[in-house]
Amino acid sequence: MGKKKNILIVTPHFYPEDFKVNDIAFDLQKRGFGVSVVTCIPNYPQGKFFSGYSLFKKRREAINGVSVYRVAVIPRGNGSGVMLGLNYLSYLITATLTCLFLGLRHRYSHVFVHETSPVTVGLPAILVKKIQRIPLFFWVLDLWPESIVAASGLKNKFILNKIDRLVKFIYRSSNLILISSKGFQKSILEKGDFRDKIVYFPNWAEDIFVKPIGNVELPSFPKGFNVMFAGNIGEAQNFEVVMQAALLTKRHKDIHYCIVGDGRKRSWVEEFVKRNELEDTVHLYGRYPISHMPAFFDKADVMLLPLKDEPIFALTVPAKLQAYMASSKAVVGLIAGEGANIISEAKCGFCVEPSNFEKLAEVILQASILSKDELKTMGNNGRIYYDSTFMKDSLLSKLEQLFL
């Protein structure tokens, strides 16, 4: 590789938080790059600083050879608009000051931005780019302003215009714009002639889904046809439609909805189940560590992938789709757009329009009468597609070549 290249990664989230940027940093370090990370004191998703971390503890550390600079932030708290706004603003201020210091004191070959919300995470990185005149790679995982409109219902044209101008500035300042979903391309191109900058760089599944390890203790599961959801039970996950479908299949006592996870919408689901006497067919298991997920998946006949009927979600590929495909499981997608395109292209399951609970119930009934071999073929199709498109080693090798 010649002279060692030093990469600065700017991200709101890093280990011990669980994000794909961890794989990027640690893998680049193993491949011979010097890697430094500017990030928050870890506080996601709990909303408070992780045990062992504080404004006065572990602000500077080395993890697997990666130099980590943790900037002071106001924790996310309960995730309300005010707390989230303060969290975003505090990161912008302290990360900018830290990047100014690093840009003046250290030498980097590239700066890489891991852009989960907010998009302003790109601004401290642009400062380093300008100081050192080096390339900036911007990995788009959350599309703005579409994401903030979907999350908050923001309609103020003045504010949206300001956000739009900020996003255009960040894209113009980037040498490469990496997109996690092909659906993002249209929005980016509407903001400027950035076609030559765009590189498709999707998410991948965690290693444990590709190579499951060991046995874990699980709760008991019902006998019959198990439709499983695993992940955050939130507003975006469209559980209103899922539960209406469960209501339509209620009399089919052999069809079970197994929900693994937690989130703000869990109490609503529990109340719906109780109110509609669905205890025989809808089962909530709570949150389990990711190490247990392959064993949970093994108990499922199909995996459920629901998202609300919002324009932003039609452009997005939920990361759990890669986990389902890597696990060779057939997928029932209550989803439109890019996620549905992948399921159809891979021939790994079924797609239903996000608002159509009657069709969802019909598809689940249809899947329940398929043979095990037919469902296995769908699952295998998903794994084949995963291996050719979403394998971590191949994607990280592609990223390495971009840095050379």
Side-chain angles (χ1 to χ4, degrees):
M1 190 167 62
K3 186 178 179 181
K4 184 177 181 179
K5 292 182 180 288
N6 293 311
I7 312 298
L8 178 65
I9 297 176
V10 180
T11 171
H13 305 289
F14 193 67
Y15 185 89
E17 295 176 346
D18 187 18
F19 285 82
K20 298 295 189 294
V21 69
N22 300 344
D23 291 334
I24 290 173
F26 298 144
D27 186 83
L28 286 174
Q29 196 279 331
K30 285 181 181 177
R31 292 174 187 244
F33 291 84
V35 182
S36 300
V37 176
V38 174
T39 190
C40 292
I41 300 170
N43 66 104
Y44 179 90
Q46 294 96 328
K48 59 183 180 180
F49 293 149
F50 282 28
S51 177
Y53 290 88
S54 74
L55 294 172
F56 308 103
K57 290 182 183 177
K58 299 178 77 171
R59 293 280 302 281
R60 175 81 168 85
E61 58 182 330
I63 305 174
N64 297 338
V66 173
S67 297
V68 183
Y69 300 85
R70 299 194 184 275
V71 303
V73 292
I74 297 171
R76 304 166 61 92
N78 61 5
S80 68
V82 172
M83 292 306 299
L84 211 53
L86 290 172
N87 176 259
Y88 290 170
L89 180 61
S90 59
Y91 176 79
L92 174 61
I93 294 169
T94 55
T96 298
L97 292 173
T98 301
C99 282
L100 175 62
F101 169 79
L102 293 175
L104 294 172
R105 293 289 301 272
H106 298 273
R107 185 65 193 167
Y108 303 102
S109 61
H110 298 76
V111 57
F112 179 90
V113 178
H114 170 246
E115 186 259 337
T116 57
S117 280
V119 73
T120 50
V121 68
L123 297 177
I126 291 172
L127 183 61
V128 178
K129 170 194 167 74
K130 298 290 187 183
I131 291 171
Q132 301 200 0
R133 298 182 180 179
I134 57 175
L136 185 154
F137 296 172
F138 192 76
W139 190 22
V140 182
L141 294 158
D142 211 357
L143 199 61
W144 278 57
E146 290 88 343
S147 290
I148 194 168
V149 171
S152 67
L154 178 66
K155 295 180 181 178
N156 186 298
K157 290 185 178 180
F158 176 80
I159 296 175
L160 288 173
N161 181 57
K162 293 295 184 185
I163 294 172
D164 199 60
R165 290 176 63 182
L166 173 63
V167 173
K168 288 177 180 177
F169 169 71
I170 292 171
Y171 289 163
R172 284 198 306 271
S173 302
S174 302
N175 295 77
L176 289 181
I177 302 169
L178 284 68
I179 56 173
S180 56
S181 167
K182 292 178 181 177
F184 288 176
Q185 182 165 304
K186 182 175 182 291
S187 172
I188 292 169
L189 291 178
E190 286 173 351
K191 293 174 177 60
D193 185 13
F194 304 126
R195 190 175 301 276
D196 292 341
K197 293 183 177 185
I198 295 174
V199 176
Y200 181 48
F201 187 68
N203 275 304
W204 51 91
E206 289 79 3
D207 290 341
I208 194 146
F209 295 111
V210 180
K211 298 177 181 177
I213 53 173
N215 296 316
V216 296
E217 188 173 339
L218 297 180
S220 60
F221 277 80
K223 292 181 179 179
F225 184 79
N226 290 338
V227 181
M228 182 176 291
F229 170 86
N232 180 51
I233 308 172
E235 292 294 336
Q237 280 67 45
N238 209 359
F239 269 93
E240 292 91 348
V241 173
V242 173
M243 288 297 98
Q244 288 296 330
L247 202 54
L248 289 180
T249 60
K250 178 180 177 179
R251 63 188 178 87
H252 298 272
K253 297 300 183 183
D254 58 328
I255 294 179
H256 300 274
Y257 297 79
C258 303
I259 301 170
V260 182
D262 205 349
R264 294 184 192 175
K265 201 74 176 178
R266 179 177 173 176
S267 59
W268 181 91
V269 174
E270 289 173 333
E271 289 169 9
F272 187 96
V273 169
K274 185 176 181 180
R275 187 169 65 251
N276 292 281
E277 299 180 340
L278 289 170
E279 290 89 349
D280 290 342
T281 56
V282 179
H283 315 275
L284 286 90
Y285 292 91
R287 186 190 298 273
Y288 281 79
I290 193 170
S291 58
H292 286 54
M293 290 305 104
F296 271 102
F297 288 12
D298 193 50
K299 300 293 185 182
D301 293 284
V302 296
M303 301 300 299
L304 185 61
L305 183 69
L307 273 181
K308 273 197 168 177
D309 193 7
E310 298 276 357
I312 181 61
F313 297 139
L315 304 177
T316 303
V317 179
K320 63 168 55 66
L321 177 57
Q322 281 94 332
Y324 292 173
M325 295 173 82
S327 303
S328 302
K329 303 302 296 188
V331 180
V332 174
L334 185 66
I335 188 172
E338 187 62 19
N341 291 342
I342 290 173
I343 293 170
S344 298
E345 188 177 330
K347 299 185 171 102
C348 67
F350 310 85
C351 297
V352 180
E353 293 177 358
S355 58
N356 196 337
F357 64 88
E358 292 174 327
K359 182 65 174 178
L360 177 60
E362 180 185 322
V363 163
I364 288 171
L365 286 169
Q366 178 187 345
S368 72
I369 61 175
L370 293 178
S371 68
K372 295 286 186 183
D373 286 343
E374 287 173 302
L375 291 172
K376 186 176 180 181
T377 296
M378 289 183 183
N380 288 340
N381 288 343
R383 179 56 191 259
I384 291 168
Y385 189 95
Y386 178 89
D387 287 346
S388 66
T389 310
F390 300 126
M391 279 292 284
K392 181 178 76 171
D393 288 347
S394 298
L395 290 168
L396 293 179
S397 292
K398 177 180 179 178
L399 183 62
E400 179 187 19
Q401 290 304 310
L402 295 176
F403 283 124
L404 296 180

